[in-house]
Amino acid sequence: MTVTVITISDRASRGEYPDRSGPEIVSILREAFPEARIAAEVVPDEAEAIVAAFRRHLRADFVLTTGGTGISARDVTPEATRGYCDRELPGIAEALRAESYKETANALLSRGAAGIKDGTIIVNFPGSLKAVRLCTRVLIPVMEHA
C-alpha cells in the first residue's frame, strides 16, 4: 500500500509553525500498516497547490489531506478535491463527519470530501490533531479492501 499525507496550511507551508497533523497521520498509519510506503508534504491553502500535490502523488493508493476543510475563505481543500476527482466517495466523508460529531458539534462545520482519481482514493481530514487521530482510525478498517 502506498499513501501520501498532504498537510494543507499556509502557515506550516511557510515554516511559521511545525506541522503536527500530517506526522500524526503518518505515525498512526505506520503502526497499522508497517509495510506501507508513506510520503508526506505540506502545501499552502491554494487550490492550484493542492491539485499540483495530487498530481505528484497520483500513483499512490491513497492521498490523505489534513486541513482546509472548514468554513473560512481560505479553506478550499474540498473544492480542489471534488474538482480533481473523477468520482466522489460520499460515504467516507459522511462517516468521518458522523464519527467526529460524537466528539464535537463543530464536526458539522467540516466540509471534507472524498473521491477517486484514476486508482487513487483522496480523503480530506480536518486539521486538528484530535480530528486526524479519529479520522485516520475510522478509515483504516477499509483501506486494505479499497
Side-chain angles (χ1 to χ4, degrees):
M1 180 184 312
T2 57
V3 183
T4 297
V5 176
I6 302 172
T7 299
I8 300 164
S9 166
D10 287 329
R11 292 182 292 167
S13 71
R14 291 190 301 257
E16 293 175 14
Y17 69 78
D19 171 22
R20 291 196 172 99
S21 296
E24 185 69 14
I25 296 168
V26 170
S27 175
I28 295 167
L29 291 173
R30 287 196 195 288
E31 183 180 314
F33 306 111
E35 303 299 318
R37 289 180 286 140
I38 304 172
E41 73 172 281
V42 180
V43 300
D45 284 291
E46 296 170 1
E48 300 82 17
I50 296 166
V51 170
F54 290 162
R55 287 187 180 121
R56 282 193 295 277
H57 300 285
L58 188 56
R59 297 203 187 280
D61 296 311
F62 290 89
V63 172
L64 308 180
T65 72
T66 175
T69 63
I71 59 174
S72 82
R74 296 285 298 159
D75 291 330
V76 297
T77 304
E79 289 78 16
T81 300
R82 287 186 190 101
Y84 182 72
C85 289
D86 298 320
R87 295 178 291 157
E88 287 193 55
L89 289 169
I92 291 175
E94 291 164 6
L96 296 179
R97 271 187 287 280
E99 286 301 310
S100 296
Y101 182 70
K102 293 176 183 176
E103 300 292 322
T104 177
N106 291 339
L108 296 179
L109 300 176
S110 178
R111 301 177 315 105
I116 302 171
K117 176 69 171 184
D118 297 332
T120 301
I121 295 174
I122 301 172
V123 181
N124 303 154
F125 293 168
S128 77
L129 277 173
K130 185 176 181 180
V132 299
R133 287 178 185 132
L134 185 141
C135 290
T136 305
R137 288 191 165 88
V138 168
L139 188 62
I140 281 173
V142 300
M143 289 178 76
E144 286 192 271
H145 177 74

